[in-house]
Amino acid sequence: MKICLVGYGAMGHIVYEMANNEISAICDINYEKGIKNLSELKDHVDVILDFSNPANLDMIYEYAIKNNTPVVLATTGYNIAAEAKINELAKFVPVLKSANFSLGVLVMDKVLEMITPILKDSFDIEIVEAHHHNKVDAPSGTAKMFLNTLIDKTNYEPNFGRYGNEKRKTNEIGVSSIRGGSIVGEHEVLYCGEDEVLSIKHSASSRKIFAKGALLACKFIVKQEKGLYNMKDVLFKGE
């Protein structure tokens, strides 16, 4: 498998180290040995793996459609227009987009799907996430993924960064973000009931877990038909 890696920051370096020589090209304007634009690619690649930022979506869109190349999007922080463009791209090529590529996080999300319908009427639900001080988006993409799962099972409303004197509503899900130090990523969902609290938490101690999942996603997406996929398709396809 030949992968073109878009973005050669902290995650890009780790992906490159773990890819067992499957990275055939690196696209990053700050990397001298790589290319600055996908249009400069001379050799065929099997998949584009994006660990950059939303600003590169147009470039990826154009190249993928022109060359019929599958895409794995590991970037977060897309706005509504960008999300629409991703959906449009999936009409032409296979696209896998995920807010988190950790296998543990994905299993946690599956657990939330299972237990939330059972607990929602008796427990208040809160999400707390923590990341390093350089992370620019909040809440994290993973927190949003968990939130979407919880809303789908409850129809509750999100409350981001609770502030003020208003009492907590029974039909809301609180979302709190912490930014500090070098925290790789921590996500906790709390089910708070009368006299008991159920806490489900995932902590990442290394970015290697995200690289491992992203490379697994690449192997999956090159075998798929056009359409939009996520990591649940990789882990739970065929259930």
Side-chain angles (χ1 to χ4, degrees), residues 1-6 15-16 18-27 38 41 43-51 69-72 211 214-219 221-222:
M1 180 173 59
K2 293 183 178 180
I3 301 172
C4 177
L5 176 63
V6 180
V15 171
Y16 182 80
M18 297 182 64
N20 295 321
N21 298 317
E22 291 181 315
I23 304 296
S24 61
I26 296 174
C27 181
L38 289 175
L41 270 177
D43 298 324
H44 166 80
V45 296
D46 298 307
V47 59
I48 297 168
L49 172 57
D50 177 35
F51 263 108
T69 307
V71 176
V72 173
L215 292 170
L216 185 65
C218 288
K219 293 178 181 178
I221 202 65
V222 296

Side-chain angles (χ1 to χ4, degrees), residues 20-85:
N20 295 321
N21 298 317
E22 291 181 315
I23 304 296
S24 61
I26 296 174
C27 181
D28 190 305
I29 59 174
N30 297 313
Y31 181 54
E32 294 181 358
K33 297 181 180 180
I35 59 176
K36 310 303 181 186
N37 191 291
L38 289 175
S39 62
E40 300 174 37
L41 270 177
K42 297 179 180 179
D43 298 324
H44 166 80
V45 296
D46 298 307
V47 59
I48 297 168
L49 172 57
D50 177 35
F51 263 108
S52 59
N53 61 75
N56 286 319
L57 179 60
D58 288 345
M59 175 184 68
I60 294 169
Y61 179 96
E62 293 173 7
Y63 180 88
I65 288 182
K66 182 178 180 180
N67 296 278
N68 195 33
T69 307
V71 176
V72 173
L73 297 173
T75 296
T76 60
Y78 292 111
N79 59 27
I80 294 175
E83 293 283 0
K85 191 151 196 171

Side-chain angles (χ1 to χ4, degrees), residues 5 18 24 42 46 49 65 67 76 88 108 120-121 128 137 145-146 148 185 191 200 203 214:
L5 176 63
M18 297 182 64
S24 61
K42 297 179 180 179
D46 298 307
L49 172 57
I65 288 182
N67 296 278
T76 60
E88 183 68 20
M108 178 174 166
K120 66 182 181 69
D121 293 330
V128 181
D137 58 316
M145 179 179 73
F146 289 157
N148 288 336
Y191 294 86
I200 302 177
S203 297

Side-chain angles (χ1 to χ4, degrees), residues 186-200:
E186 295 182 357
H187 294 87
E188 184 176 19
V189 177
L190 295 159
Y191 294 86
C192 306
E194 293 295 328
D195 303 317
E196 60 178 331
V197 175
L198 172 62
S199 169
I200 302 177

Side-chain angles (χ1 to χ4, degrees), residues 76-205:
T76 60
Y78 292 111
N79 59 27
I80 294 175
E83 293 283 0
K85 191 151 196 171
I86 292 168
N87 290 334
E88 183 68 20
L89 177 60
K91 296 178 182 179
F92 299 94
V93 300
V95 177
L96 190 150
K97 175 179 173 291
S98 180
N100 194 304
F101 285 83
S102 158
L103 304 188
V105 162
L106 297 162
V107 171
M108 178 174 166
D109 192 51
K110 192 71 172 179
V111 170
L112 299 182
E113 284 185 4
M114 296 169 58
I115 68 173
T116 300
I118 301 171
L119 300 177
K120 66 182 181 69
D121 293 330
S122 303
F123 289 73
D124 298 324
I125 307 174
E126 297 279 318
I127 300 172
V128 181
E129 58 97 352
H131 285 83
H132 53 88
H133 56 212
N134 290 321
K135 187 170 178 60
V136 295
D137 58 316
S140 68
T142 302
K144 290 178 181 177
M145 179 179 73
F146 289 157
L147 178 62
N148 288 336
T149 297
L150 297 172
I151 290 175
D152 182 61
K153 298 301 180 182
T154 62
N155 289 319
Y156 291 174
E157 296 290 331
N159 186 336
F160 298 103
R162 187 177 289 106
Y163 177 81
N165 299 315
E166 186 175 345
K167 184 180 178 181
R168 187 189 199 280
K169 299 176 182 177
T170 57
N171 62 338
E172 72 177 27
I173 298 170
V175 184
S176 302
S177 297
I178 297 168
R179 296 289 177 267
S182 58
I183 302 171
V184 174
E186 295 182 357
H187 294 87
E188 184 176 19
V189 177
L190 295 159
Y191 294 86
C192 306
E194 293 295 328
D195 303 317
E196 60 178 331
V197 175
L198 172 62
S199 169
I200 302 177
K201 183 176 181 179
H202 180 274
S203 297
S205 57

